[in-house]
Amino acid sequence: MVRRVLIIGSGGREYSLGLAVSRDSRVEKIYFAPGNGATEELGENISISDFQELADFAKKEEIDLTIVGPEKPLVDGVVDIFEKEGLAIFGASKRAAQLEGSKIFMKKFLQKYGIPTARFLETSSLEESYKFIETLTPPIVVKADGLCGGKGVIIAQSVEEAKKTAGDMLSGSLFGDAGKKIIIEEFLDGFELSVFAISDGKNYQILPPAQDHKRLLTGDKGPNTGGMGAYAPTPLATDELMEKIETKIIRPTLEGMAKDGNIFKGVLFAGLMVVNNEPYVLEFNVRFGDPECEILMPLIETPITDILYQATKGKLDEVDIQISKRYSVGVVMASEKYPYSSSQPAEIIVDEIVHSDLAENSHISYAGVSKEEGKLYATGGRVLVAIGLGDTIQEARDRAYMLCGQIHFAGKQFRTDIAYQALKDGEEK
Ligand code: AMP
Ligand code: GLY
């Protein structure tokens, strides 16, 4: 039984994992490494970053389950170190994490197993990139190979811009070493979906399909961000489409990874583009999405500790995973200067929520916050996610926005159209 849990990471995703774990009355203690100003309210923050030291800590503190939030520690091999010590840790191994760590690894893998994705060229040669760019019709997508905190993708509106971007990446001036190898790919024009599968290496469970909102501003304007809001399940993903996603993408990916000796345990996050009702892989991540995790956790009715623990043991088939029939909408509130630069710390005031309907069907998941003398401060970036739950998307969304109205900090910004694709023409699809 899982009594003591360690969560690695510091964002809203990790807060929401902690919140889900804390709902399990069998759990006695949650540690966050390093956590944020609000995770202290759910458990204890520790400041160990070295993986071996963290594994030693987990042993000493008799941690039953470690959950890894972000990609960086996965790509750097934290799971391998914990497993060598015989510790249960939920996340992808270093080898499996290459699916996210290297876009070229991912694209070659997709090609090998015939999994649908955009036509592409990988190269470190400027000349080759120019030649391929000339065969494409703009917009043209140029991606850096390595991890760039979600910012390694440029959508060029002309051949000239694509060439300039390729040059800037290859010279290292745009993303440093992460851009020394690049991928040029055709632009896919459709709608995006985030689909998550929890895998134990053999069995998997697909979670309700979500939609993120990557652009900063209402109306899908402004720069790309880590994600400004999400909702699930989205009616855009019909049963027929989900079936295709499972048989053409999720299953062959998990099977292919196993065949290649890179058994995938953890959460596979397929970032998809749906074009004419056909799904294509834009990217894989080997972790929960942020803010998708914040909106999915409240929809999982089975204790998350049971699901994730059994996944580490290869026994996901022994858990009866119950998913709520409700909808979840999350609105990200970010600091004034996000995503351009850091902002002044600003005190966060949350009005007392007197309406019981709102109090029972909404909550906050905190990310970029610190705590001083009992007060929470927004410290920049994405500060928090306001989450509403409901029997319809409209109801869930109304509650999320009502909650936003109760939250105050200087310079707060948020989109006012989260879930718009599900509510087009003012009615639910
Ligand atoms: P990625 O980091 O690969 O997910 O890309 C970030 C964002 O760029 C995606 O969420 C899409 O909005 C967009 N994008 C990436 N690749 C393509 C593509 N081939 N066609 C259209 N949009 C894309
Ligand atoms: N919300 C997208 C991501 O976590 O990458």
Side-chain angles (χ1 to χ4, degrees):
M1 207 200 304
V2 177
R3 289 207 173 86
R4 300 172 68 77
V5 177
L6 168 64
I7 297 175
I8 299 178
S10 64
R13 169 181 46 211
E14 290 74 25
Y15 181 96
S16 72
L17 287 163
L19 194 63
V21 170
S22 71
R23 280 201 217 104
D24 184 339
S25 58
R26 299 165 300 176
V27 173
E28 291 160 5
K29 180 85 188 181
I30 310 174
Y31 289 102
F32 294 87
N36 62 44
T39 55
E40 284 174 27
E41 289 163 13
L42 303 172
E44 187 178 332
N45 290 348
I46 56 165
S47 60
I48 304 172
S49 53
D50 179 82
F51 298 159
Q52 189 59 52
E53 277 177 41
L54 213 48
D56 293 343
F57 173 86
K59 269 189 163 170
K60 185 164 82 52
E61 291 299 323
E62 298 178 351
I63 299 295
D64 303 301
L65 173 66
T66 298
I67 307 168
V68 190
E71 62 275 20
K72 182 89 173 45
L74 296 168
V75 170
D76 291 343
V78 70
V79 168
D80 308 64
I81 288 176
F82 270 59
E83 285 186 341
K84 214 163 67 199
E85 300 288 346
L87 292 159
I89 181 164
F90 180 79
S93 68
K94 186 172 183 164
R95 290 176 67 108
Q98 291 176 88
L99 266 189
E100 174 161 3
S102 164
K103 287 194 191 293
I104 289 172
F105 175 92
M106 171 203 67
K107 286 297 242 185
K108 282 189 170 158
F109 172 85
L110 294 175
Q111 208 170 29
K112 178 173 173 189
Y113 288 102
I115 299 166
T117 190
R119 201 158 66 85
F120 72 100
L121 170 84
E122 75 155 276
T123 185
S124 43
S125 142
L126 192 60
E127 204 184 320
E128 260 181 38
S129 76
Y130 277 15
K131 268 197 202 138
F132 188 68
I133 286 169
E134 280 162 12
T135 69
L136 299 173
T137 334
I140 296 166
V141 185
V142 187
K143 300 184 177 185
D145 179 44
L147 291 178
C148 315
K151 298 180 197 84
V153 177
I154 306 273
I155 303 192
Q157 297 302 328
S158 66
V159 166
E160 291 67 41
E161 191 191 338
K163 286 183 174 172
K164 181 170 182 319
T165 306
D168 289 349
M169 280 192 195
L170 288 172
S171 71
S173 70
L174 206 49
F175 298 121
D177 282 348
K180 290 275 168 77
K181 270 203 246 162
I182 59 170
I183 288 174
I184 320 266
E185 73 182 32
E186 68 177 333
F187 181 78
L188 296 173
D189 195 6
F191 67 85
E192 284 187 58
L193 273 187
S194 301
V195 175
F196 298 85
I198 294 176
S199 167
D200 69 1
K202 299 186 295 280
N203 311 287
Y204 62 86
Q205 168 78 34
I206 296 178
L207 300 180
Q211 265 199 315
D212 187 14
H213 299 66
K214 289 236 166 71
R215 307 286 287 268
L216 180 70
L217 305 173
T218 299
D220 281 334
K221 302 230 162 52
N224 262 338
T225 68
M228 292 301 289
Y231 72 99
T234 170
L236 299 177
T238 58
D239 290 348
E240 184 203 350
L241 179 60
M242 288 308 288
E243 173 81 28
K244 282 187 194 168
I245 290 169
E246 179 169 3
T247 55
K248 293 186 178 185
I249 292 169
I250 303 295
R251 198 181 303 150
T253 297
L254 294 173
E255 286 175 0
M257 289 297 279
K259 253 186 224 156
D260 290 351
N262 301 323
I263 291 175
F264 195 98
K265 275 192 195 181
V267 57
L268 177 70
F269 167 1
L272 307 174
M273 185 73 86
V274 180
V275 186
N276 297 328
N277 212 31
E278 286 297 326
Y280 295 83
V281 176
L282 284 181
E283 64 165 349
F284 279 128
N285 298 303
V286 299
R287 50 167 177 85
F288 282 111
D290 192 345
E292 289 95 326
C293 187
E294 288 92 317
I295 54 128
L296 288 173
M297 283 303 130
L299 297 178
I300 302 176
E301 291 175 340
T302 309
I304 193 71
T305 43
D306 288 346
I307 301 174
L308 303 188
Y309 181 77
Q310 295 299 356
T312 70
K313 300 287 169 204
K315 292 184 181 165
L316 204 53
D317 54 337
E318 291 180 15
V319 200
D320 176 23
I321 300 177
Q322 295 294 326
I323 305 288
S324 160
K325 299 267 181 297
R326 304 180 84 201
Y327 292 88
S328 181
V329 175
V331 179
V332 170
M333 297 182 103
S335 285
E336 186 179 10
K337 294 182 183 154
Y338 179 73
Y340 304 105
S341 62
S342 53
S343 308
Q344 288 281 346
E347 189 183 345
I348 303 172
I349 311 270
V350 182
D351 296 338
E352 191 191 347
I353 296 167
V354 284
H355 202 288
S356 63
D357 180 70
L358 184 60
E360 283 159 21
N361 293 290
S362 70
H363 64 273
I364 301 172
S365 193
Y366 288 100
V369 298
S370 67
K371 198 170 197 180
E372 266 158 62
E373 292 167 9
K375 291 181 181 169
L376 273 184
Y377 289 84
T379 47
R382 293 184 290 171
V383 173
L384 56 84
V385 188
I387 296 142
L389 297 165
D391 294 333
T392 62
I393 295 177
Q394 187 68 56
E395 190 177 58
R397 183 205 226 197
D398 288 347
R399 287 174 177 150
Y401 279 112
M402 269 189 266
L403 180 58
C404 286
Q406 311 282 83
I407 302 169
H408 315 278
F409 58 92
K412 72 177 179 190
Q413 56 161 333
F414 58 98
R415 282 180 62 154
T416 56
D417 64 346
I418 301 306
Y420 76 93
Q421 291 190 64
L423 298 167
K424 268 185 194 154
D425 313 321
E427 56 184 74
E428 289 197 23
K429 292 188 87 166

